[in-house]
Amino acid sequence: MLYVKAPAKINLTLDVLYKRPDNYHEVEMVMTTVDLADRISLESREDGVIEIISTDNFVPNDHRNFAYQAARLVKDTYGIGQGVSITIEKEIPIAAGLAGGSSDAAATLKGLNELWNLGLSIDELAELGAKIGSDVSFCVYGGTALATGRGEKIQELPAPPNCWIVLAKPKIGVSTAEVYGGLKVEGLEHPNTKQMIHAIETEDYELLCASLGNVLETVTFKLHPEVVMLKEQMKRFGADATLMSGSGPTVFGLVDSEARVSRIYNGLRGFCEEVYAVRILGERNTLA
């Protein structure tokens, strides 16, 4: 049995530049991993079957599951006869804008690389990940990065200034396809990605807070006004800066004072079940 952690990510910036001919959107995103993670366990089996077992009934156990797709891709690409039982212990909320499914797929790729002695590099695993979903390549690397293209082109960045992250997910799910489908690229107020990168590189926490931005908020806020309210409440309770992650509905707040973290956490728990206080991981994964 092999165990792999699958950490969540947040978007410090998310910009959409234009709609591409292949119907994907050209994006520019600064992302970082946080210390909230699913736990993936992998056990090889001789019958060739890919089995998904999850602690959460909302996690699909068939080809719709990104971890299943990762295992199928590895088997088909490298002619592996063995199967695998993949157990997913969920901690990351589902359909939350935190790349839970993508991170599960990335952890599966890394785990199978070891379990089946494939000897693939982290770059080769990231290339495989890009065939599964836009965030999977980033999740293979982890840490902090600028992601461009449809999200699969990854440029490593240093870890952001150390701070607390308070995450809160309202009791709704958001369709990423619906949000991107409702986005009007013309007239968008674009986040300053270069300024965010500068803030990270110079460890300027105040500039980092001032540089947060996510163009998808314009769509998700209209579809789900409760996300706007959650963001406002988080700011009112004392977060230094707030933003929606991905296509939502999770909102996060940056906090540089541990004393304020518990106040924000307890305040949000009054009307939101899924609240987490975590740290930024920031550093890139390596393959042992």
Side-chain angles (χ1 to χ4, degrees), residues 103-157:
S103 193
D104 293 347
T108 299
L109 290 173
K110 289 185 285 188
L112 291 179
N113 186 41
E114 190 175 332
L115 193 69
W116 291 340
N117 299 309
L118 299 175
L120 302 172
S121 70
I122 198 161
D123 292 335
E124 289 172 310
L125 292 174
E127 202 172 311
L128 277 176
K131 298 176 181 178
I132 301 165
S134 298
D135 285 338
V136 180
S137 296
F138 167 76
C139 292
V140 166
Y141 291 117
T144 308
L146 170 68
T148 55
R150 58 180 178 85
E152 85 287 4
K153 296 175 185 172
I154 307 298
Q155 179 187 324
E156 185 180 5
L157 294 172

Side-chain angles (χ1 to χ4, degrees), residues 161-177:
N162 206 4
C163 65
W164 287 89
I165 307 288
V166 179
L167 299 161
K169 179 189 178 282
K171 219 172 183 177
I172 54 171
V174 168
S175 161
T176 299

Side-chain angles (χ1 to χ4, degrees), residues 166 233-240 253-255 257 259-270 275:
V166 179
Q233 291 279 41
M234 193 176 280
K235 189 76 176 166
R236 190 169 65 81
F237 287 133
D240 295 319
L254 304 182
V255 193
S257 155
R260 266 185 292 133
V261 170
S262 56
R263 186 169 81 233
I264 298 165
Y265 177 88
N266 291 331
L268 292 170
R269 284 283 294 169
V275 185

Side-chain angles (χ1 to χ4, degrees), residues 7-222:
K9 64 84 187 166
I10 55 171
N11 292 85
L12 298 174
T13 65
L14 194 164
D15 198 7
V16 177
L17 305 181
Y18 54 86
K19 184 88 173 276
R20 296 161 29 144
D22 61 6
N23 278 332
Y24 285 100
H25 286 83
E26 185 74 16
V27 297
E28 193 174 66
M29 308 182 287
V30 176
M31 299 189 283
T32 192
T33 43
V34 298
D35 195 17
L36 173 68
D38 293 344
R39 182 176 165 162
I40 311 296
S41 52
L42 305 159
E43 189 169 15
S44 203
R45 46 193 294 163
E46 298 306 313
D47 58 7
V49 170
I50 300 168
E51 178 188 34
I52 301 287
I53 305 153
S54 177
T55 56
D56 191 311
N57 293 332
F58 290 103
V59 173
N61 62 0
D62 54 19
H63 66 277
R64 294 169 296 166
N65 187 293
F66 275 12
Y68 181 100
Q69 291 176 33
R72 172 55 59 198
L73 181 62
V74 171
K75 276 174 60 64
D76 291 350
T77 304
Y78 298 100
I80 306 294
Q82 291 170 293
V84 63
S85 292
I86 304 169
T87 302
I88 304 172
E89 296 177 45
K90 288 298 293 180
E91 291 293 335
I92 304 170
I94 295 167
L98 299 172
S102 296
S103 193
D104 293 347
T108 299
L109 290 173
K110 289 185 285 188
L112 291 179
N113 186 41
E114 190 175 332
L115 193 69
W116 291 340
N117 299 309
L118 299 175
L120 302 172
S121 70
I122 198 161
D123 292 335
E124 289 172 310
L125 292 174
E127 202 172 311
L128 277 176
K131 298 176 181 178
I132 301 165
S134 298
D135 285 338
V136 180
S137 296
F138 167 76
C139 292
V140 166
Y141 291 117
T144 308
L146 170 68
T148 55
R150 58 180 178 85
E152 85 287 4
K153 296 175 185 172
I154 307 298
Q155 179 187 324
E156 185 180 5
L157 294 172
N162 206 4
C163 65
W164 287 89
I165 307 288
V166 179
L167 299 161
K169 179 189 178 282
K171 219 172 183 177
I172 54 171
V174 168
S175 161
T176 299
E178 185 182 8
V179 172
Y180 272 99
L183 185 70
K184 304 274 192 295
V185 178
E186 304 77 24
L188 279 177
E189 189 176 329
H190 297 280
N192 190 333
T193 307
K194 284 184 180 173
Q195 183 174 285
M196 174 58 76
I197 293 170
H198 179 69
I200 290 169
E201 289 176 340
T202 56
E203 298 187 356
D204 188 331
Y205 177 72
E206 287 185 8
L207 186 61
L208 184 141
C209 288
S211 306
L212 293 180
N214 180 349
V215 297
L216 298 184
E217 285 187 338
T218 58
V219 183
T220 304
F221 285 1
K222 285 178 187 167

